[in-house]
Amino acid sequence: MNLYFDKSIASQYTSNSQRIRVMSESWVESNIYCPCCGSPHIVKLDNNKPVADFQCDSCGEIFELKSKNGKIDSKIADGAYGTMIGRITSTTNPDLFVLRYANTLSVIDLIIIPKFFFVPQVIEKRKPLSDTARRAGWVGCNILLSEIPQQGRIPIIRNQQVVDPKEVVERYKNISKLQTRSIESRSWLVDVLNCINRINKDQFTLSEVYDFGDELKRQHPGNHNVEAKIRQQLQVLRDKGILEFVDRGVYRKK
């Protein structure tokens, strides 16, 4: 796999953001397979397609691409907040490629975030633009990468090392068992999974998850029986193969 952008295809652009968009999209189309089904190619869509950059002709999955020079922090700037919330609660939400490149225009990291990990709590509402701005009052958003469970950040390239495509597809296939159309169910799964990931050991107890109860109450103020909801989510995660039941009130991460 060639890890360098082709600079020649963007020579006619003066805007650096346009140049990066053209080069990064061309690089993905030339080098990246479908992480969902393993098809060797994905195709670039027309530029006027809303929130969609690529599609797999084999499985039909659609993808958006976000690229960043240098370190990827805990958040990534995105578009309009209202549009983003509407998108993640729809049935047409795309998976997200997050690409990190260096000043040498070489690809350092590439991850895929499956669409079913996008819930309202991972979208941060930015302040409206000032009255003097060209788009006065416009409200943007940030994607909070730190709020997406590690299981939902699947590496395709890590520190310029290409991960085995079979491993990527298998990881996507396994985690796709968590997919649900209910945004409420999806939100609970993401939040409980984040709590479990913060328990710094492979085997843990139900009471250790209960310790996050106050936090989960703040995140889901409409629920008045959080401990029952925690037990339900642990059952779902066990049934989906993310957790293993060890003994009464004891679980192990798989």
Side-chain angles (χ1 to χ4, degrees), residues 6 22 27 48 71 78 80 82 109-110 126 129 138 150 212:
D6 181 0
V22 169
W27 180 85
N48 59 1
K71 182 181 179 182
D78 206 276
D109 296 299
L110 178 68
R126 300 206 302 263
L129 295 182
W138 183 83
Q150 63 188 37
F212 295 97

Side-chain angles (χ1 to χ4, degrees), residues 170-226:
E170 185 64 22
R171 285 188 63 177
Y172 190 102
K173 178 181 177 182
N174 287 336
I175 205 64
S176 66
K177 297 172 184 176
L178 295 182
Q179 189 164 190
T180 172
R181 290 188 176 183
S182 167
I183 195 68
E184 181 184 1
S185 298
R186 198 191 308 169
S187 294
W188 269 102
L189 276 174
V190 166
D191 288 337
V192 171
L193 195 51
N194 271 328
C195 293
I196 291 169
N197 287 340
R198 285 159 57 189
I199 300 174
N200 196 26
K201 53 185 178 180
D202 289 337
Q203 190 164 297
F204 61 93
T205 65
L206 178 59
S207 63
E208 287 176 297
V209 189
Y210 282 165
D211 288 341
F212 295 97
D214 289 342
E215 178 180 327
L216 291 167
K217 285 178 185 177
R218 290 192 297 270
Q219 292 169 328
H220 302 271
N223 186 284
H224 303 294
N225 194 348
V226 169

